């Protein structure tokens, strides 16, 4: 529980709005106020119901107030709240009563948190093993660990399980780590299997953003992620038209940059009609992606000094160089090339590209499948 209060005088303070009902354009809130009530110390909370309306892209703000003093005779205003909204208001106001009971009204703005003694005990267990605590907070692993702990605690022979776990040797713990890693790899592979025809670039950018280690599997040399949606230059004097590459990696030793542009598995790789007998041209979408990432490389190299200065000013990662950046395009599916002539034409095209690596989505996820096979042996 957390409560934010901004004092308005020695004896009063405004709390956060309690949102009872909300749509894109309207909402009903209760604005609580803590007061030192000299007339009745048991009644320290008051407030107001505020019904607000805005345009879809605007933020919630208090602008023009409807003045009730302008109501005419026989006119009235009704603001009804349902049972769920009433319960929420009741529960939230109980917190403010508790805050006043323990702290009264304090000067300035402050946030109060209610601690959970049981949670503090759990945290204390991990104070000596910070690395394990970090692993438990990892989104990719937390679900698996939570399910495992719940299974152990609720099992009929839980005491025996806990005793067995306490006697695990280091090699056995390594096997448990491998199992967790395998589970995450299989989950990612399942996402690929279920979305081979997904034509949303954002979907694939978000997926690979959550699993950036996958892209590092593309290279024989080690690579580290510098930034996703990285600015690589190209802004006009009007401060627009800036170029953003999907992923910016770098070799941790040479610091040379790696630019990765993500398309979708449905991106066509070659034209369906023959240019000559047995020959197919690379598709314009693929050629466009290649031209795009090469343009990013050129602007990054030409504007590198200015970009570094801006990154330093904005606290962004600057641990990379532009000696001769590697360019990668991830697009299409090799298994979608039905004819042998399609496969040959695509392979000839990408192998002749001197400064761009083109890899298909199924080739990328084949690396994950191979990694699973290796870990299961």
């Amino acid at each position: 529980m957390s409560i934010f209060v901004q004092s308005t005088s020695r004896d009063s303070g405004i709390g956060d709005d309690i949102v009872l009902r909300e749509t894109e354009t309207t909402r009903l809130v209760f604005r609580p106020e803590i007061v030192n009530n000299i007339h009745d110390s048991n009644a320290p909370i008051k407030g107001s119901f505020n019904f607000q309306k805005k345009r879809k892209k605007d933020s919630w703000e208090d602008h023009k107030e409807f003045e009730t003093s302008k109501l005419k005779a026989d006119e009235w205003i009704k603001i009804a709240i349902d049972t769920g909204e009433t319960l929420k208001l009741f529960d939230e106001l109980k917190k403010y009563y508790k805050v006043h009971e323990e702290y009264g009204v304090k000067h300035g703005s402050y946030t109060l948190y209610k601690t959970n003694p049981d949670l503090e005990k759990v945290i204390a267990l991990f104070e000596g093993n910070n690395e394990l605590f970090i692993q438990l907070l990892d989104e990719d692993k937390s679900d698996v660990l939570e399910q495992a702990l719940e299974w152990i605690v609720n099992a009929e022979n839980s005491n025996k399980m806990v005793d067995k776990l306490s006697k695990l040797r280091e090699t056995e713990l390594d096997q448990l780590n491998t199992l967790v890693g395998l589970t995450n790899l299989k989950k990612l592979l399942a996402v690929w299997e279920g979305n081979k025809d997904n034509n949303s670039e954002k979907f694939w950018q978000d997926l690979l953003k959550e699993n950036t280690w996958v892209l590092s599997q593309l290279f024989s040399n080690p690579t580290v992620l510098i930034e996703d949606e990285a600015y690589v230059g190209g802004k006009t004097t009007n401060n627009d038209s800036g170029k953003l590459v999907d992923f910016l990696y770098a070799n941790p030793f040479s610091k040379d940059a790696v630019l990765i542009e993500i398309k979708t598995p449905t991106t066509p790789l070659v034209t369906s009609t023959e240019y000559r007998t047995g020959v197919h041209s690379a598709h314009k979408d693929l050629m466009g992606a290649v031209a795009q990432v090469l343009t990013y490389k050129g602007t990054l190299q030409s504007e590198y000094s200015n970009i570094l200065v801006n990154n330093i000013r904005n606290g962004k990662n600057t641990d990379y160089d532009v000696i001769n950046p590697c360019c990668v395009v991830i697009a299409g599916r090799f298994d979608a090339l039905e004819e042998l002539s399609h496969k040959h034409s695509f392979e000839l095209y990408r192998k002749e590209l001197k400064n761009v690596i083109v890899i298909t989505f199924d080739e990328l996820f084949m690396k994950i499948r191979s990694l699973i096979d290796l870990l299961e042996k």
Side-chain angles (χ1 to χ4, degrees):
M1 182 192 83
S2 65
I3 294 288
F4 174 80
V5 180
Q6 172 67 57
S7 64
T8 53
S9 72
R10 264 180 66 179
D11 295 305
S12 63
I14 296 289
D16 279 334
D17 288 346
I18 301 171
V19 180
L20 302 177
R21 181 189 316 151
E22 184 173 357
T23 68
E24 280 190 309
T25 56
T26 63
R27 72 172 184 171
L28 174 64
V29 303
F30 182 83
R31 187 164 298 160
E33 184 174 359
I34 300 179
V35 297
N36 290 326
N37 189 347
I38 59 175
H39 302 293
D40 185 356
S41 60
N42 292 320
I45 308 299
K46 63 179 184 178
S48 63
F49 285 100
N50 297 345
F51 188 82
Q52 301 169 318
K53 189 169 184 178
K54 68 175 183 67
R55 297 180 181 87
K56 286 186 177 181
K57 294 185 179 180
D58 291 345
S59 57
W60 297 109
E61 292 183 30
D62 294 331
H63 291 293
K64 184 178 180 181
E65 181 180 358
F66 179 79
E67 298 177 16
T68 55
S69 61
K70 292 184 178 180
L71 282 174
K72 298 177 183 178
D74 300 327
E75 292 182 338
W76 60 295
I77 297 173
K78 177 181 178 181
I79 299 180
I81 59 176
D82 62 27
T83 54
E85 294 163 351
T86 303
L87 179 61
K88 181 176 182 180
L89 179 62
F90 177 73
D91 288 339
E92 292 296 318
L93 288 181
K94 282 196 299 185
K95 299 176 185 178
Y96 283 93
Y97 279 99
K98 187 68 174 176
V99 166
H100 186 271
E101 180 185 343
E102 295 188 16
Y103 303 100
V105 177
K106 300 171 68 176
H107 178 69
S109 59
Y110 50 93
T111 303
L112 300 171
Y113 299 91
K114 179 181 178 181
T115 59
N116 185 326
D118 294 330
L119 183 59
E120 289 180 342
K121 290 179 182 178
V122 174
I123 294 174
L125 292 174
F126 297 101
E127 285 183 342
N129 193 339
N130 187 56
E131 180 62 28
L132 178 58
F133 191 61
I134 292 172
Q135 295 294 324
L136 289 171
L137 295 176
D138 189 296
E139 290 184 4
D140 292 334
K141 300 175 182 177
S142 58
D143 288 346
V144 178
L145 291 170
E146 181 182 349
Q147 292 170 17
L149 290 172
E150 185 177 350
W151 172 67
I152 291 170
V153 172
N154 293 330
E156 292 182 4
N157 58 341
S158 59
N159 290 335
K160 292 181 180 179
M161 287 188 199
V162 172
D163 182 60
K164 176 64 176 176
L165 287 171
S166 66
K167 297 175 182 177
L168 283 175
R169 296 188 300 274
E170 185 175 347
T171 54
E172 293 169 321
L173 287 172
D174 287 341
Q175 290 175 349
L176 282 177
N177 285 332
T178 299
L179 286 173
V180 172
L182 271 172
T183 301
N184 291 329
L185 289 171
K186 289 179 178 178
K187 283 170 62 179
L188 183 58
L189 196 59
V191 173
W192 158 246
E193 295 292 347
N195 289 274
K196 289 183 178 182
D197 296 321
N198 192 321
N199 63 358
S200 168
E201 280 191 30
K202 187 177 187 308
F203 173 85
W204 295 106
Q205 289 165 358
D206 289 346
L207 180 67
L208 294 173
K209 180 178 177 180
E210 293 170 5
N211 301 275
T212 53
W213 59 270
V214 174
L215 298 177
S216 66
Q217 305 302 306
L218 296 173
F219 310 100
S220 56
N221 298 324
T223 55
V224 293
L225 177 67
I226 301 297
E227 189 180 357
D228 62 275
E229 293 186 296
Y231 172 66
V232 292
K235 283 188 178 180
T236 66
T237 54
N238 294 324
N239 201 36
D240 58 13
S241 301
K243 296 177 174 60
L244 299 176
V245 70
D246 290 332
F247 292 94
L248 176 63
Y249 278 71
N251 183 309
F253 298 104
S254 70
K255 308 300 182 185
D256 201 19
V258 178
L259 307 178
I260 301 179
E261 187 63 23
I262 307 295
K263 296 306 175 184
T264 76
T266 62
T267 301
L269 301 175
V270 296
T271 58
S272 57
T273 56
E274 292 180 320
Y275 177 73
R276 291 287 187 272
T277 304
V279 177
H280 296 263
S281 300
H283 196 277
K284 61 181 180 64
D285 290 352
L286 177 59
M287 291 192 290
V290 170
Q292 182 180 12
V293 76
L294 286 173
T295 302
Y296 289 165
K297 174 183 176 179
T299 54
L300 177 61
Q301 287 179 305
S302 63
E303 301 182 33
Y304 176 65
S305 298
N306 292 333
I307 292 171
L308 275 191
V309 171
N310 288 330
N311 284 353
I312 293 171
R313 186 182 298 130
N314 296 320
K316 292 185 177 181
N317 194 338
T318 59
D319 196 22
Y320 68 94
D321 205 342
V322 288
I323 304 166
N324 186 19
C326 176
C327 296
V328 179
V329 170
I330 302 175
R333 286 167 47 190
F334 202 94
D335 63 7
L337 299 171
E338 299 176 354
E339 302 294 334
L340 187 60
S341 59
H342 293 167
K343 296 176 182 178
H344 285 177
S345 295
F346 169 65
E347 197 66 20
L348 287 169
Y349 172 74
R350 69 171 173 177
K351 287 290 176 61
E352 287 301 312
L353 293 172
K354 299 184 182 301
N355 297 307
V356 180
I357 298 171
V358 176
I359 186 168
T360 61
F361 276 84
D362 48 350
E363 288 173 323
L364 175 63
F365 283 94
M366 178 61 75
K367 290 180 177 289
I368 298 174
R369 190 184 300 278
S370 299
L371 190 55
I372 292 173
D373 293 340
L374 180 63
L375 290 173
E376 285 184 330
K377 288 181 180 178

